[in-house]
């Protein structure tokens, strides 16, 4: 029996040695396995960074300045994944006043694009559910992110008018994904009007931002995640000066159309890559 247990130990060690090899081989030759590894690494990185940075952010208290820490934590991800970011038109954002940035929303990967372009003194408006993601929620709260309850209209309207006042008072910029949910299709979803109500209430300009489709290197549907190039285009500002709430539906449609046209053009270019 002593011999038997020694055999078992040897076998177990052998298996344990084979395991990393099996994982490496799977990673090398199986695209789906590689996709899940990369997505898991992405989420673990965000969680680890939030956990590491939150105590430092907490020293300052809840402040938009903490967004700089988050941004610095997210920026290296593009190097790990071999994603080249090309930004066009970022000079548009170099104005001193507050403004609203609206951006199309494809996947969690948008975080990497957001880190690339988000200017100083700018916070995203995010869904309230993020608050409950442990240290990630805490890091978001400490960074001054604005949480919105998408299921309670009354709540959402209140948040919008509070934010409009804060923007004017504290010279704050706000970033919103008006599609409201992730979308990897070739066309944009209808826009929710919150961002446009906000810009009109605060009487600040809107900067539409379009992130090119990821499908060359990333697709959650096809479980694909390789390296690739992503283009981010900042469009010229859309003024809201003098507009009132009744102009919001038309404003929303105009901005959505401008972004959809750019996305179509980018998609055509990317198919040719």
């Amino acid at each position: 029996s002593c011999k038997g247990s020694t055999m078992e130990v040897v076998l177990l060690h052998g298996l344990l040695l084979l395991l990393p090899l099996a994982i490496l081989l799977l990673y090398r030759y199986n695209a789906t396995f590689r996709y899940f590894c990369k997505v898991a690494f992405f989420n673990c990185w965000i969680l680890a960074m939030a956990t590491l940075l939150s105590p430092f952010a907490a020293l300052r208290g809840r402040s938009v300045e903490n967004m700089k820490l988050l941004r610095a934590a997210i920026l290296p991800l593009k190097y790990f994944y071999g994603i080249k970011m090309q930004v066009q038109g970022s000079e548009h954002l170099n104005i001193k006043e507050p403004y609203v940035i609206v951006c199309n929303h494809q996947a969690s990967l948008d975080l990497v694009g957001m880190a690339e372009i988000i200017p100083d003194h700018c916070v995203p408006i995010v869904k309230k559910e993020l608050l409950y993601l442990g240290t990630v929620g805490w890091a978001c709260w400490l960074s001054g992110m604005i949480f919105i309850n998408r299921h309670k209209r009354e709540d959402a309207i209140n948040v919008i008018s509070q934010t409009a006042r804060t923007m004017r008072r504290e010279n704050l910029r706000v970033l919103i994904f008006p599609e409201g949910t992730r979308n990897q299709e070739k066309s944009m979803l209808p826009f929710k009007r919150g961002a446009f109500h906000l810009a009109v209430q605060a009487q600040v300009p809107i900067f539409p931002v379009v992130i090119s489709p990821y499908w060359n290197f990333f697709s959650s549907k096809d479980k694909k995640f390789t390296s690739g190039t992503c283009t981010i285009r900042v469009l010229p500002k859309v003024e809201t000066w003098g507009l009132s709430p009744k102009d919001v539906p038309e404003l929303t449609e105009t901005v959505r159309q401008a972004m959809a046209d750019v996305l179509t053009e980018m998609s055509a270019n990317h198919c040719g890559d």
Side-chain angles (χ1 to χ4, degrees):
S1 77
C2 181
K3 201 173 173 187
S5 64
T6 316
M7 265 312 272
E8 276 168 20
V9 169
V10 168
L11 266 173
L12 193 65
H13 277 170
L15 280 173
L16 284 175
L17 285 172
L18 279 173
L19 194 66
L21 184 66
I23 289 171
L24 275 171
L25 285 171
L26 259 175
Y27 186 84
R28 177 101 198 250
Y29 296 107
N30 185 305
T32 306
F33 183 73
R34 197 157 53 235
Y35 166 86
F36 283 112
C37 287
K38 286 181 166 185
V39 168
F41 177 80
F42 186 92
N43 294 327
C44 290
W45 177 267
I46 300 289
L47 182 64
M49 283 299 154
T51 309
L52 279 171
L53 293 174
S54 288
F56 295 104
L59 292 173
R60 189 187 269 146
R62 187 174 193 206
S63 160
V64 182
E65 289 304 305
N66 286 326
M67 276 300 296
K68 288 179 182 162
L69 288 173
L70 274 194
R71 187 173 167 258
I74 293 167
L75 277 172
L77 280 168
K78 64 176 177 186
Y79 301 113
F80 299 153
Y81 290 116
I83 297 169
K84 272 230 276 299
M85 290 282 177
Q86 297 173 334
V87 182
Q88 303 166 345
S90 57
E91 68 281 354
H92 291 310
L93 298 176
N94 296 340
I95 59 169
K96 293 278 181 278
E97 63 198 274
Y99 47 77
V100 174
I101 298 174
V102 292
C103 185
N104 59 321
H105 192 16
Q106 301 178 69
S108 307
L109 216 51
D110 294 341
L111 277 179
V112 181
M114 192 180 86
E116 203 68 27
I117 58 140
I118 201 163
D120 283 348
H121 228 70
C122 180
V123 292
I125 288 190
V126 293
K127 53 184 183 187
K128 204 163 194 168
E129 289 86 345
L130 264 182
L131 256 182
Y132 312 117
L133 286 182
T135 48
V136 173
W138 197 40
C140 290
W141 184 82
L142 283 167
S143 306
M145 288 190 196
I146 297 160
F147 298 93
I148 203 157
N149 186 337
R150 297 177 302 172
H151 312 296
K152 283 206 182 136
R153 194 177 149 78
E154 207 67 8
D155 267 18
I157 291 170
N158 284 339
V159 170
I160 293 288
S161 25
Q162 265 172 353
T163 306
R165 288 195 292 273
T166 313
M167 287 180 81
R168 303 272 357 152
R169 194 175 60 237
E170 295 173 22
N171 196 18
L172 184 71
R173 289 86 180 255
V174 173
L175 182 142
I176 306 180
F177 295 107
E179 288 173 287
T181 183
R182 295 172 196 180
N183 167 35
Q184 285 184 4
E185 298 310 312
K186 294 192 175 171
S187 61
M188 275 188 231
L189 296 173
F191 279 4
K192 297 190 171 359
R193 290 181 185 159
F196 304 92
H197 274 295
L198 174 60
V200 167
Q201 269 186 44
Q203 291 285 285
V204 297
I206 296 168
F207 285 98
V209 169
V210 185
I211 301 178
S212 65
Y214 299 144
W215 59 63
N216 273 344
F217 60 91
F218 176 87
S219 161
S220 52
K221 204 161 62 196
D222 306 331
K223 304 287 174 272
K224 173 170 85 171
F225 200 163
T226 60
S227 53
T229 303
C230 172
T231 307
I232 303 170
R233 192 181 303 173
V234 183
L235 308 188
K237 72 173 168 182
V238 178
E239 287 293 358
T240 64
W241 191 250
L243 296 186
S244 71
K246 68 174 191 315
D247 300 308
V248 166
E250 195 188 336
L251 174 70
T252 307
E253 227 8 79
T254 308
V255 172
R256 186 182 172 280
Q257 198 48 58
M259 290 171 70
D261 291 346
V262 171
L263 191 66
T264 306
E265 177 203 324
M266 285 174 159
S267 308
N269 293 346
H270 272 243
C271 288
D273 282 0

